[in-house]
Amino acid sequence: MPYAQRYFFMINPSPITARAIFGPASARCVAIVLFLLPSVIWCAEALPSWNGGPARTAIVDFVEKVTTPGSPDFVPPEERIAVFDNDGTLISEQPVYIQFAFAVDRVKELAARHPEWRDKDPFKSVLEGRLTHLESEKHEKDFAELVLATCDELTTGEINQAAGKWLATARNAKTGRLQTEMAFQPMVELLEHLRSKGFKTFIVSGAGIEFMRNYTEKIYGIPPEQVVGSNVKMRFETRNGSSELVLLPEVDFFNNRDGKPMGIYKHIGRRPIMAFGNSDGDLEMLQWTTSGAGPRFGAIIHHDDAVRETAYDRESLVGRLDKALDEAPKNKWTVVSMKNDWKTVFSNPTKQN
Amino acid sequence: MPYAQRYFFMINPSPITARAIFGPASARCVAIVLFLLPSVIWCAEALPSWNGGPARTAIVDFVEKVTTPGSPDFVPPEERIAVFDNDGTLISEQPVYIQFAFAVDRVKELAARHPEWRDKDPFKSVLEGRLTHLESEKHEKDFAELVLATCDELTTGEINQAAGKWLATARNAKTGRLQTEMAFQPMVELLEHLRSKGFKTFIVSGAGIEFMRNYTEKIYGIPPEQVVGSNVKMRFETRNGSSELVLLPEVDFFNNRDGKPMGIYKHIGRRPIMAFGNSDGDLEMLQWTTSGAGPRFGAIIHHDDAVRETAYDRESLVGRLDKALDEAPKNKWTVVSMKNDWKTVFSNPTKQN
C-alpha cells in the first residue's frame, strides 16, 4: 500500500472512504461526504450513556472550552492530561476489588507450595473460604499481604501470564459477568470522548501496576505506559541465560492518597487538567489537579445506585467516600450520581458459553 | 473550519495539499502528488547525518523488518518501544553532565542561605571554584549531593522554573554552545525516523527526571511523560492555599544500572525492542531489552571522536564504557563509532547575540 494511503488509513479506518478518495474522480463528492460523516455521527453520539443534566453538561462544557481555538480557556493538546482512578471510578469495585479476587484465587493455587499459610492469617481465612470480602478495618493490610504473596519471586513475564490467564475467565461474584465486563460504560465513553478531543488519558490507581496493565488497553483503550499504580520492589537477574526482573514481596511505592499526585508527577511530569475519582484515596489527586493555574476539572463518581450497582459512601470499607465528598462543594468538583446521571451502567455482556 | 478539514490539517500540515483536496475537482491530480510528496522526500532523507556503513545499515534494516506488514519479524505499533539513555547518548556529557553544571550554578546561587556550605565539601570546593569537573572516583557521591541540594524544599513548579530559566542561557564550558544545542544531530534524526515508523521513543536516564523534562520536548520531541529518570522523595502539602508537591533532598529511586530496566518496567510496562546507551550504566538496560523474545536491537554510542567531540571509554570518570563494550560483540549489539558513522555531530548552533 503506498505511503499516503497507509497514512490515510491510520487516521480514518473506513476503507470505503479511502477507496473513494483514491479511486475514480467521479466518486469525489461521495468521498467528501463520507469524510465528514464521522464528525456528524460523533456530535450526535458523544456520551450516549449519560443522561442530560448538570454532570454531563459540566463535562461537555469544560472539554469544549479548553479545546476551542481562540477560547480564553484554550489548553494546547500536549497539556490535555486527564487522570482516572480505576476501581470504583472506571470499573466496579463491588463486592471486592478485582485484584483482591485475583489474589484470593492465587493464594489457593499456590497453597501447596506454602504449608506455612495453613496456620497464618489472612492466608488461613482465605484457604478456609472465610475471607472472601474485606470485612474489617484491617482489610488494607490483609489485601496488601495477599497481593504481595502473589508475586512469589515470579519474573514480570510470569506474573503477567498468570494475570492474563485469570482475567480471561474470572467472573464477578455478584453479577456473574466477566470481571473485564464490569467497566462502567459511561466512563468508557468519556475516555473515548476526551481522546477524540486531543486528551491523553491515564489511570492513576492504588492497585498493582502490572495487574491492571493486563486489561486496561483492551477495555479502556489505555496502553500500559499510561497506567500509574502501586508497585513492588524488583531484582534484576539472569534466569536460563535471559535477563529478567523478578518481583519481590515488598511494597516499593503505594500509589494512593498523597502517593497519587506523586505517582502522577513521577510518571507524567505535568499537572493534569482533569481528574476523576470516587473515594478518599483520590482526595489528594483531586486537590493537586484542581490547584493548578488555568482551567481545571475535578469529579467524583458517587455510588448511589443500589439497584443497578451498589450504594455506598461514608461507611464503606471498600472505596470509602467521606472527606472527599465534603470537599467537593468547597472545591467546585462535580459529583456524578450513578443513579441520576447514567442512562446505563454496564455495557452489554459477552454471551456466556 | 469544518471538522474534516481540521482533522486533515492535524495529519498534514501543508495548507496547499489540504486546499487542493477540498478545493475544485480540477486540482485533484495536484492534490495526490502533493499528498505523496512527503514520503518521497522522507525516503531520500532518512538519517542524513549518518554515513553509510554497518551501523546505519543495521538500524535501517531492523526498523524496516519490524515495520513491514507480512514480514516474519513484524512488530505491531503498540510494541514498538525504543529507549535511549540521555547523557552521552543523545547529548554530549563532556566536559560534565548538564545537570552537574546546573547544580554547581545553583549551589553558588543558594550559598547565601547556606553558610554551613562554606566549610563542607563538595560545596566548599564548588564555592571556591575548584570543583568544576568530576575529578575522582567519588564523583558520583559528590554529584548526587550537589543535585539533592538544588531541591532545597522547592515545589515542583519552582524547581522547573529554576531549571527552565537556567537552560535558556547556560552554555557548554568547552564549546560555548547553548547546553540545549549539545544534542547529537544523528540521534535527533534517529528519534524522528523511529517515530515516523510508529515507534514510541522514551528517555531512560540516571539524571534527575524533572531537570531533563525541561528540555526533552524542545530538543528531541520527547514529552515529559516519556522521560524516565531518577527522582527524589516528595511531600504533599498546602502552600498559600494551593496543593503542592515539595521536593526533598533524599533519593527515592536511582534510575541507573539495574535501576534502568526497573524504571522502564514501572513507567512503560513493556520490554522495549530497541535500546541505545553509551556507558556501563546502560548495561542492564541493554541486556534486558535484548533478552526478550522476537526481534531486538541494542546499540552503544562509542565516543571515539577526539576532534569533533571527546574520545573516552574505559578509563573515563564520566560515562565510563568498559564492561558494556566487552559485552557488545557477545550480544550482537551495534557499536556506533561517532568518528566513522556520523557525518556531523552537532546541528548548526543558534547565533549568539
Side-chain angles (χ1 to χ4, degrees):
Chain A
M1 197 186 286
Y3 176 88
Q5 281 194 40
R6 274 215 314 276
Y7 204 9
F8 190 82
F9 266 100
M10 279 168 58
I11 58 120
N12 188 322
S14 157
I16 302 165
T17 320
R19 248 182 263 128
I21 291 269
F22 295 98
S26 60
R28 198 167 158 272
C29 289
V30 181
I32 290 174
V33 169
L34 288 171
F35 202 89
L36 291 166
L37 208 58
S39 71
V40 178
I41 293 172
W42 183 251
C43 292
E45 291 200 3
L47 309 181
S49 299
W50 290 69
N51 287 317
R56 186 183 185 283
T57 303
I59 293 169
V60 170
D61 287 356
F62 180 85
V63 172
E64 192 61 24
K65 78 176 181 182
V66 299
T67 58
T68 304
S71 151
D73 292 313
F74 182 74
V75 174
E78 65 273 18
E79 289 170 26
R80 293 180 203 158
I81 304 286
V83 290
F84 293 80
D85 167 60
N86 187 42
D87 296 282
T89 298
L90 294 180
I91 196 165
S92 180
E93 60 192 354
Q94 296 290 348
V96 290
Y97 304 118
I98 301 187
Q99 197 179 10
F100 180 84
F102 172 63
V104 162
D105 285 355
R106 281 286 290 169
V107 164
K108 290 175 186 165
E109 197 182 322
L110 299 173
R113 278 160 53 190
H114 293 275
E116 75 281 11
W117 286 353
R118 280 196 295 254
D119 305 308
K120 193 186 162 196
D121 265 331
F123 306 101
K124 185 171 186 284
S125 304
V126 165
L127 296 174
E128 291 170 1
R130 288 181 289 107
L131 188 65
T132 54
H133 290 61
L134 299 167
E135 289 151 337
S136 73
E137 289 295 340
K138 70 175 181 62
H139 78 276
E140 270 196 7
K141 200 180 145 286
D142 284 352
F143 183 23
E145 210 167 331
L146 292 172
V147 166
L148 290 175
T150 63
C151 304
D152 202 43
E153 295 261 332
L154 295 182
T155 65
T156 53
E158 288 164 344
I159 191 78
N160 284 319
Q161 199 173 26
K165 194 179 154 202
W166 184 86
L167 284 163
T169 60
R171 291 186 181 272
N172 182 279
K174 187 176 166 187
T175 65
R177 284 166 169 263
L178 284 173
Q179 292 283 13
T180 50
E181 288 173 347
M182 294 299 294
F184 300 134
Q185 180 62 18
M187 297 305 286
V188 172
E189 290 167 9
L190 175 57
L191 291 168
E192 283 165 3
H193 179 60
L194 291 175
R195 290 193 293 259
S196 80
K197 295 287 189 175
F199 277 79
K200 213 163 179 177
T201 54
F202 287 82
I203 285 174
V204 179
S205 166
I209 202 163
E210 51 272 307
F211 182 71
M212 286 183 290
R213 283 170 168 167
N214 280 283
Y215 64 83
T216 55
E217 186 145 34
K218 189 182 155 203
I219 71 176
Y220 311 129
I222 295 181
E225 61 271 26
Q226 284 163 231
V227 177
V228 183
S230 298
N231 65 279
V232 295
K233 289 197 188 292
M234 290 175 259
R235 187 177 64 236
F236 178 83
E237 67 172 47
T238 304
R239 281 195 184 182
N240 309 320
S242 176
S243 297
E244 298 293 346
L245 292 173
V246 175
L247 299 178
L248 307 177
E250 189 184 342
V251 174
D252 178 37
F253 180 68
F254 187 38
N255 191 61
N256 204 25
R257 303 196 193 98
D258 62 351
K260 285 205 176 191
M262 295 176 199
I264 293 171
Y265 185 70
K266 286 194 284 184
H267 278 251
I268 308 177
R270 307 192 214 244
R271 204 188 283 240
I273 65 165
M274 296 186 94
F276 292 79
N278 76 300
S279 78
D280 285 355
D282 304 314
L283 178 60
E284 289 86 347
M285 173 171 84
L286 285 159
Q287 289 174 325
W288 192 64
T289 299
T290 58
S291 272
R296 302 278 154 176
F297 190 90
I300 289 173
I301 309 301
H302 192 197
H303 292 258
D304 57 0
D305 193 329
V307 177
R308 297 184 300 176
E309 204 231 6
T310 308
Y312 63 100
D313 48 31
R314 296 184 192 274
E315 304 298 323
S316 179
L317 287 174
V318 171
R320 173 170 299 170
L321 174 65
D322 184 31
K323 202 174 166 201
L325 199 54
D326 292 336
E327 288 292 316
K330 296 179 212 166
N331 293 281
K332 296 185 184 158
W333 299 335
T334 297
V335 178
V336 177
S337 160
M338 287 178 65
K339 191 174 170 181
N340 302 320
D341 291 318
W342 288 1
K343 209 171 282 174
T344 52
V345 174
F346 303 111
S347 62
N348 289 328
T350 309
K351 282 208 180 77
Q352 293 196 28
N353 293 320
Chain B
M1 198 187 284
Y3 177 88
Q5 280 195 39
R6 277 217 310 276
Y7 203 10
F8 189 81
F9 264 100
M10 279 168 61
I11 59 124
N12 190 318
S14 160
I16 302 166
T17 320
R19 247 181 263 130
I21 289 269
F22 294 99
S26 61
R28 197 166 159 272
C29 288
V30 179
I32 291 174
V33 168
L34 287 172
F35 202 89
L36 291 165
L37 207 57
S39 70
V40 177
I41 292 170
W42 183 252
C43 291
E45 290 202 4
L47 308 182
S49 298
W50 290 69
N51 286 318
R56 186 183 184 285
T57 303
I59 292 169
V60 171
D61 288 356
F62 180 84
V63 172
E64 192 62 24
K65 77 176 181 180
V66 298
T67 56
T68 304
S71 150
D73 292 312
F74 181 74
V75 174
E78 65 272 18
E79 289 170 27
R80 292 179 203 158
I81 304 285
V83 290
F84 294 81
D85 167 59
N86 186 43
D87 295 281
T89 298
L90 295 181
I91 197 163
S92 180
E93 60 193 354
Q94 295 290 349
V96 289
Y97 304 119
I98 299 186
Q99 198 178 8
F100 180 85
F102 172 62
V104 163
D105 284 354
R106 283 283 292 166
V107 164
K108 290 176 188 164
E109 198 180 322
L110 299 173
R113 279 159 54 189
H114 293 274
E116 76 278 12
W117 285 352
R118 280 198 294 255
D119 304 309
K120 194 185 161 195
D121 265 330
F123 307 100
K124 186 172 186 280
S125 304
V126 166
L127 295 175
E128 291 170 1
R130 288 182 287 107
L131 188 63
T132 53
H133 290 63
L134 299 166
E135 288 152 337
S136 72
E137 289 294 338
K138 72 174 178 64
H139 78 277
E140 270 196 9
K141 200 180 146 287
D142 285 351
F143 184 23
E145 209 166 333
L146 293 172
V147 167
L148 290 175
T150 63
C151 304
D152 202 42
E153 295 261 331
L154 294 184
T155 66
T156 53
E158 289 165 345
I159 191 78
N160 284 318
Q161 199 174 25
K165 193 180 153 201
W166 184 85
L167 284 163
T169 59
R171 292 188 180 270
N172 182 280
K174 187 176 167 186
T175 65
R177 283 167 169 259
L178 284 174
Q179 292 283 13
T180 50
E181 289 173 345
M182 293 299 293
F184 301 133
Q185 180 62 18
M187 297 305 284
V188 172
E189 291 167 8
L190 175 56
L191 290 168
E192 283 164 4
H193 179 59
L194 291 174
R195 290 194 292 260
S196 79
K197 295 287 189 175
F199 277 79
K200 214 164 178 175
T201 53
F202 287 82
I203 285 173
V204 179
S205 164
I209 202 163
E210 52 271 308
F211 181 72
M212 285 183 290
R213 282 170 168 167
N214 280 286
Y215 64 84
T216 56
E217 188 146 33
K218 188 182 156 202
I219 71 176
Y220 311 132
I222 296 182
E225 61 269 27
Q226 284 164 229
V227 177
V228 183
S230 299
N231 65 280
V232 295
K233 290 196 188 295
M234 288 173 262
R235 186 176 66 234
F236 177 83
E237 67 172 45
T238 304
R239 281 196 184 183
N240 309 320
S242 175
S243 297
E244 298 293 346
L245 293 172
V246 175
L247 300 178
L248 307 176
E250 188 185 343
V251 174
D252 177 41
F253 180 68
F254 187 38
N255 193 60
N256 203 25
R257 306 198 190 95
D258 61 353
K260 286 206 175 194
M262 295 176 199
I264 294 171
Y265 184 69
K266 287 194 284 184
H267 279 251
I268 309 177
R270 311 192 212 242
R271 203 188 284 241
I273 65 166
M274 297 185 92
F276 291 80
N278 77 299
S279 78
D280 285 356
D282 304 314
L283 178 60
E284 288 86 348
M285 174 171 84
L286 285 159
Q287 289 174 323
W288 192 63
T289 299
T290 59
S291 272
R296 302 280 153 174
F297 189 90
I300 289 172
I301 309 302
H302 192 196
H303 293 258
D304 57 359
D305 193 328
V307 177
R308 297 183 300 175
E309 203 231 7
T310 308
Y312 63 98
D313 48 32
R314 297 181 193 275
E315 305 299 326
S316 179
L317 287 174
V318 171
R320 174 171 298 171
L321 173 65
D322 184 32
K323 203 173 165 199
L325 198 54
D326 292 336
E327 288 293 315
K330 296 180 210 164
N331 293 281
K332 296 186 184 156
W333 298 335
T334 296
V335 177
V336 176
S337 159
M338 287 178 64
K339 190 174 172 180
N340 302 319
D341 290 316
W342 288 0
K343 208 172 284 177
T344 52
V345 173
F346 303 110
S347 63
N348 288 328
T350 309
K351 282 206 180 83
Q352 293 195 29
N353 293 323

